């Protein structure tokens, strides 16, 4: 089976390419390299020992996309912009890249009669929890343009399925993907100052930044800091393989991919410090605007429909992230 992976050079995409190739899928990456480099794909090939086809292109370029899609059986759609803060400053760029980009993809898929799709959504579509853990039927609402693009795309997919129930669509709602491939060859390589907690901690541990800013210690959580459901990116990648394998009948199904368990900011700092053997200084700062105190997934549906659950724990996440950080102290820049 030949799979077009949009955004395949990115963080989650590159790990998914490894697991897709390992599972015997024929992979074609389609990426505009706006937030990635070709280096990640070279390393994917180094890990798997297999050739990877890749096309440099934008999902909004329907002509190039159509050429790339000919002969493919399914699409995994990772391509998009993902920084919450930036989306508040540049909402048009986010709607254009994410929503318009997905519309272009769906139009070309429809034209070529390719109707199997796995889409990267996010737990951000649940907004402030009415109850925890989040199940897939928790009400949906978002608080920022990035989240809004994910929710709008989800609704587009549900409308598309209503109009043509021969589509086979899985919407995967990721919780907090972290970690790196065990080889230390691929991992997260944020440009500039990391927005997210774990890459920030890793850069403090390696000495690139002085101390972790803990955004608030007065939340109603066990130690006052924010609690999230962190899952290993390789587990997440394996979830995509399972989703493709399970996608054998018409549907449009949303599924949580998470560990089902939350860790606080201080627990994550401690785990990383223990694994790396480095002291990780931190300073408590005011809360970050828009943050939620605590959320984590109910991953029961993924287990039931995909036979998927996480294998790796927080220590393994830290070990693999640390290995990537040591091997690539400045990211993919050689
Ligand atoms: P990433 O930025 O590392 O990867 C996205 C890739 O898409 C990059 O390689 C980028 O160059 C490419 N891209 C962006 N716009 C494109 C376009 N118009 N045409 C072609 N390629 C384009 O991000 P990631 O962390 O790997 O995230 C992958 C997907 O998962 C995104 O859709 C993101 O919103 C979603 N997601 C990520 C997280 C997370 O915490 N990382 C959580 C939930 C959902
Ligand atoms: C985790 C915890 C922070 C940084 C974001 C997006 C979400 C999804 C994943 C794509 C929180 C605290 C953070 C720091 C800190 N992406 N923190 N110091 O906010 O759960 O999710 O990424 O879909 O949509 O919103 O992840 O890693 O930024 O924060 O104290 O320097 O760490 O307050 O409690 P978040 P995060």
């Amino acid at each position: 089976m030949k799979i077009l992976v949009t955004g395949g050079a990115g963080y989650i995409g590159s790990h998914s390419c490894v697991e897709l190739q390992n599972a015997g899928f024929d992979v074609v990456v389609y990426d505009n390299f706006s937030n990635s480099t070709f280096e990640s794909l070279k390393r994917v090939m180094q890990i798997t020992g297999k050739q990877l086809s890749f096309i440099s292109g934008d999902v909004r370029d329907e002509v190039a996309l159509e050429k790339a899609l000919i002969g493919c059986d399914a699409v995994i759609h990772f391509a998009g912009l993902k920084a919450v803060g930036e989306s508040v400053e540049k909402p048009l760029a986010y709607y254009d890249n994410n929503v318009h980009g997905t519309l272009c993809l769906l139009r070309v898929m429809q034209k070529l009669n390719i109707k199997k799709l796995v889409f990267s959504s996010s737990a951000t579509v649940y907004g402030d929890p009415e109850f925890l853990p989040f199940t897939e039927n928790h009400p949906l609402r978002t608080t920022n343009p990035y989240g809004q693009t994910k929710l709008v795309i989800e609704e587009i997919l549900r409308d598309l399925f209503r109009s043509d129930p021969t589509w086979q669509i899985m919407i995967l709602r990721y919780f907090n993907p972290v970690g790196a491939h065990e080889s230390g060859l691929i991992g997260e390589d944020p440009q500039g100052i990391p927005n997210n907690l774990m890459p920030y901690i890793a850069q403090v541990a390696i000495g690139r930044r002085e101390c972790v800013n803990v955004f608030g210690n007065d939340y109603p959580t066990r130690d006052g800091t924010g609690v999230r459901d962190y899952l290993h990116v390789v587990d997440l990648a394996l979830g995509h393989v399972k989703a493709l394998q399970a996608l054998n009948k018409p549907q449009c199904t949303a599924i949580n991919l998470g560990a089902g368990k939350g860790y606080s900011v201080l627990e994550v700092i401690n785990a990383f410090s223990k694994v790396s053997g480095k002291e990780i200084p931190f300073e408590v700062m005011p809360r970050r605007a828009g943050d939620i105190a605590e959320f984590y997934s109910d991953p029961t549906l993924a287990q039931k429909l995909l036979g998927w659950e996480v294998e790796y724990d927080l220590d393994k996440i830290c070990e693999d992230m640390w290995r990537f950080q040591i091997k690539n102290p400045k990211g993919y820049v050689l």
Side-chain angles (χ1 to χ4, degrees):
M1 207 166 140
K2 192 166 166 182
I3 318 295
L4 188 91
V5 181
T6 75
Y11 172 46
I12 303 169
S14 55
H15 289 81
S16 298
C17 287
V18 168
E19 300 310 328
L20 287 165
Q21 286 200 314
N22 285 345
F25 288 98
D26 189 1
V27 179
V28 181
V29 168
Y30 187 90
D31 201 302
N32 68 0
F33 298 101
S34 59
N35 196 36
S36 53
T37 62
F38 178 61
E39 184 61 27
S40 63
L41 296 181
K42 272 183 23 198
R43 296 183 182 197
V44 168
M45 292 187 267
Q46 196 180 334
I47 293 168
T48 64
K50 294 183 184 168
Q51 275 304 310
L52 189 66
S53 309
F54 64 91
I55 293 154
S56 174
D58 194 294
V59 284
R60 292 163 295 184
D61 180 349
E62 291 185 42
V63 175
L65 189 58
E66 185 173 336
K67 275 193 205 146
L69 258 174
I70 290 172
C72 291
D73 303 290
V75 175
I76 304 184
H77 181 36
F78 293 110
L81 303 178
K82 63 165 181 178
V84 173
E86 187 186 57
S87 80
V88 176
E89 284 153 34
K90 300 178 183 168
L92 300 185
Y94 273 69
Y95 283 105
D96 192 51
N97 224 289
N98 296 4
V99 179
H100 172 209
T102 303
L103 284 175
C104 293
L105 171 68
L106 295 173
R107 260 196 300 265
V108 178
M109 288 179 73
Q110 192 172 48
K111 185 173 171 192
L112 298 178
N113 202 31
I114 301 166
K115 293 185 177 173
K116 226 185 242 290
L117 173 71
V118 176
F119 171 64
S120 301
S121 189
S122 165
T124 189
V125 297
Y126 295 124
D128 256 315
E130 274 181 22
F131 56 83
L132 284 174
F134 281 134
T135 56
E136 288 79 2
N137 57 16
H138 185 279
L140 304 179
R141 59 174 162 240
T142 59
T143 50
N144 58 73
Y146 164 73
Q148 194 61 30
T149 67
K150 292 292 175 190
L151 190 46
V152 169
I153 295 167
E154 284 204 9
E155 296 301 352
I156 291 171
L157 294 174
R158 285 186 272 273
D159 283 339
L160 178 64
F161 180 70
R162 265 180 226 115
S163 75
D164 174 358
T166 64
W167 277 81
Q168 303 183 359
I169 301 171
M170 277 197 194
I171 294 169
L172 302 181
R173 295 182 181 145
Y174 315 155
F175 281 70
N176 288 55
V178 285
H181 191 264
E182 194 169 30
S183 61
L185 285 170
I186 56 172
E188 191 168 10
D189 181 24
Q191 306 300 305
I193 301 169
N195 297 308
N196 301 113
L197 178 66
M198 289 230 39
Y200 203 106
I201 292 176
Q203 292 193 4
V204 171
I206 201 84
R208 248 174 102 177
R209 306 199 181 270
E210 259 176 36
C211 90
V212 179
N213 300 314
V214 174
F215 298 143
N217 66 352
D218 56 352
Y219 284 108
T221 58
R222 49 185 174 267
D223 62 18
T225 65
V227 168
R228 294 292 183 272
D229 181 342
Y230 298 95
L231 78 158
H232 197 297
V233 67
V234 172
D235 275 328
L236 182 59
L238 289 166
H240 290 75
V241 172
K242 296 246 169 146
L244 269 184
Q245 288 164 340
L247 201 48
N248 51 16
K249 60 173 192 287
Q251 60 188 292
C252 180
T253 315
I255 303 176
N256 287 339
L257 293 184
K261 188 177 169 179
Y263 287 101
S264 74
V265 174
L266 295 181
E267 286 165 348
V268 175
I269 293 175
N270 284 335
F272 206 97
S273 174
K274 188 187 78 187
V275 163
S276 61
K278 300 277 175 190
E279 201 193 324
I280 298 176
F282 65 86
E283 195 179 335
V284 177
M285 309 287 285
R287 292 180 179 191
R288 184 171 66 178
D291 264 354
I292 291 168
E294 175 167 26
F295 65 84
Y296 47 92
S297 65
D298 178 342
T300 312
L301 192 66
Q303 157 112 78
K304 195 171 139 215
L305 298 184
L306 311 181
W308 176 91
E309 60 187 349
V310 298
E311 271 177 48
Y312 302 125
D313 62 12
L314 184 60
D315 281 355
K316 169 74 173 156
I317 287 169
C318 295
E319 275 163 37
D320 290 342
M321 266 189 97
W322 184 230
R323 193 175 303 108
F324 177 73
Q325 195 66 54
I326 290 172
K327 282 196 169 188
N328 308 273
K330 293 188 173 156
Y332 287 127
V333 182
L334 299 172

